[in-house]
């Protein structure tokens, strides 16, 4: 209770039935993701603070993947009885991320339940006078495929049973996403579910083929981890021109059924329940 | 999986990392609430479809309590293994509510977990050229206190062990909330946690006293149920002028510590974990 009072003082807009904020001048971006302990994080390995950070970061990453910037977050938390310390740590991590990403928490809800669960919704926009939000569906044959950095670090750490920095406190690629939008990226998404699966999503949404000829693999990770591991939060983009600082992974082709990796069929990649 | 594909066809904006929608011309209203089976609903009494309806309705009610109209919803669902039928029914009820309230679902997330949990975030606005959103904090001494209808029906049904219509499919008071805003309501909130507690919230936020001299009690309900029972989703407003169709319950006074019911101290009312 004392914690809730301290929290309420840190969240000045909370108190009315709904928060009242300025509408963006550009398009309104909306995204939501939920994390459940035991499903998305093992709290004997990950701290509750890192769990809270990640809950905000995965949503901000969705805004980054549109080339946008985050505006506000709404946070609902389900907490089991007797888990006050974890709850407080979770909010601390979440509010740290909120400060770092410039995405204030303006409302939410707290309720009892059987597993620590954080559901975050974020608003965002694209209002810098540049091109509109980058969807998944605009890639064209001949576009080059790019990623923001080496892949597989989170899967490597997860399989080694340790919470590495990449996995524990992901940094959404906000600057890179905005730069790719300005550069003329035709399709973009974040690699939360692994390169192989997310390449298939981009190709399917855009109606193009994809040929991968180089995969930047994180130090100590395997190609399989780079292709199939999730939780990397790098961005994948299709763009006809160079994206400075990004790594080239392949290109889009005119055959909408083509899915190749260095001459072989592209592995299927992971399965995800996520639908946005 | 087949269900998810059918769902995806009904939710055309889902597919990108974030939904892209038009920003409102008026202020942006944001609210979020989570419902957990076994905590907010007993699914041996309530149907999963009603649970889904309610998850959206409680959020739309928060927009109604600002005098606003809903725009969009984001929905995250946690579902235990083997509960596909409940999941489908839940979405059916939620999408029915979405159609009735004019609040399309534009994104969300679906994940596994130990208890059926629905977290909904809604956006809304006030863009009809009238006064701005009605907060909790504007009531002044002399304002009359009003509610949109008789109270206690949900608590009556809950205690009788049956899911009555009021409890099962609440109808947010959107028209009444908008009318109260136009009429000059100074403070408003929805009665999701019971009249006694929500009166204390209005009085505390506004720095006024409250004197209740009549409580409209639903047929077959007790005064205690009307004062302390939640889940009614009627609105409570302070307004210096008549609100046609609303029921008068009392008035605001100049003594900020005053909390009276017909000459006696106002009961404390329920406790709620909700913080928005």
């Amino acid at each position: 209770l004392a914690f809730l009072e301290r929290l309420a003082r840190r969240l000045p807009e909370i108190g009315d039935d709904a928060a009242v904020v300025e509408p963006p001048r550009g398009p309104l971006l909306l995204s939501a993701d939920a994390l459940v302990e035991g499903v998305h994080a093992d709290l004997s390995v990950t701290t509750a603070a890192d769990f809270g950070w990640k809950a905000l970061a995965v949503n901000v990453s969705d805004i980054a993947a549109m080339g946008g910037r985050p505006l506000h977050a709404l946070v609902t938390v389900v907490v089991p009885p007797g888990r006050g310390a974890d709850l407080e740590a979770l909010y601390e991590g979440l509010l740290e991320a909120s400060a770092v990403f410039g995405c204030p928490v303006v409302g939410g809800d707290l309720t009892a339940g059987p597993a620590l669960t954080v559901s975050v919704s974020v608003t965002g926009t694209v209002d810098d006078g540049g091109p509109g939000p980058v969807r998944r569906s605009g890639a064209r044959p001949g576009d080059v495929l790019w990623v923001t950095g080496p892949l597989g670090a989170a899967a490597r750490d997860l399989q080694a049973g340790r919470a590495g920095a990449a996995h524990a406190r992901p940094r959404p690629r906000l600057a890179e996403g905005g730069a790719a939008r300005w550069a003329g990226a035709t399709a973009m998404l974040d690699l939360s579910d692994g390169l192989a699966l997310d390449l298939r999503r981009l190709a399917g949404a855009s109606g193009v083929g994809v040929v991968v000829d180089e995969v930047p693999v994180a130090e100590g990770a395997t190609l399989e981890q780079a292709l199939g591991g999730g939780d990397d939060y790098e961005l994948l983009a299709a763009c006809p021109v160079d994206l400075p600082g990004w790594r080239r992974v392949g290109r889009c082709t005119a055959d909408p059924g083509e899915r190749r990796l260095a001459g072989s069929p592209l592995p299927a990649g992971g399965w995800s329940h996520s639908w946005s």
Side-chain angles (χ1 to χ4, degrees), chain A:
Chain A
L1 189 50
F3 163 65
L4 283 181
E5 283 165 6
R6 290 201 304 279
L7 182 69
R9 278 197 298 272
R10 293 181 63 170
L11 305 174
E13 294 188 69
I14 294 175
D16 292 304
D17 288 44
V20 181
V21 301
E22 282 290 306
R25 276 171 305 175
L28 178 61
L29 306 178
L30 298 169
S31 184
D33 277 299
L35 299 186
V36 183
E37 68 170 330
V39 177
H40 298 93
D42 175 353
L43 290 194
S44 69
V45 179
T46 304
T47 68
D50 288 347
F51 187 58
W53 173 290
K54 189 177 166 185
L56 188 67
V58 299
N59 281 282
V60 171
S61 183
D62 285 330
I63 300 297
M66 308 296 290
R69 66 183 179 93
L71 293 172
H72 307 98
L74 296 165
V75 179
T76 71
V77 177
V78 178
V79 62
R83 298 281 299 279
D86 280 345
L87 174 65
E88 186 157 3
L90 185 156
Y91 273 114
E92 287 299 330
L94 197 146
L95 292 175
E96 275 182 69
S98 164
V100 169
F101 307 148
C103 183
V105 178
V106 298
D109 187 28
L110 177 61
T111 183
L116 199 59
T117 303
V118 196
S119 178
V120 177
S121 295
V122 290
T123 67
T125 195
V126 162
D127 61 356
D128 53 10
V134 184
R135 299 176 180 268
R136 297 182 178 185
S137 51
R140 292 162 302 194
D143 287 349
V144 178
L145 293 163
W146 307 88
V147 294
T148 42
L151 308 174
R156 174 200 67 203
D157 292 344
L158 194 67
Q159 287 176 22
R162 63 198 165 87
H167 188 60
R169 297 236 159 173
R171 294 277 181 151
R173 300 298 190 191
L174 287 166
E176 293 85 347
R181 176 170 53 83
W182 276 91
T186 53
M188 189 154 58
L189 67 171
D190 76 349
L191 287 171
S192 47
D193 296 314
L195 180 64
L197 180 59
D198 288 320
L199 271 172
R200 290 175 182 278
R201 288 174 172 152
L202 184 150
S206 295
V208 297
V210 288
V211 173
V212 178
D213 41 37
E214 41 193 326
V215 177
V217 179
E219 198 182 330
T222 64
L223 177 63
E224 191 185 14
Q225 287 168 338
L227 283 169
D231 272 353
D232 276 325
Y233 302 100
E234 302 291 348
L235 299 179
L236 166 68
C239 189
V241 300
D242 265 18
L243 291 178
W246 293 51
R247 311 279 293 263
R248 186 187 184 282
V249 294
R251 61 192 164 79
C252 300
T253 67
D255 174 1
E258 191 170 30
R259 306 281 184 273
R260 278 197 299 126
L261 169 66
S264 307
L266 184 69
W271 159 255
S272 163
H273 287 283
S274 183
W275 47 279
S276 102

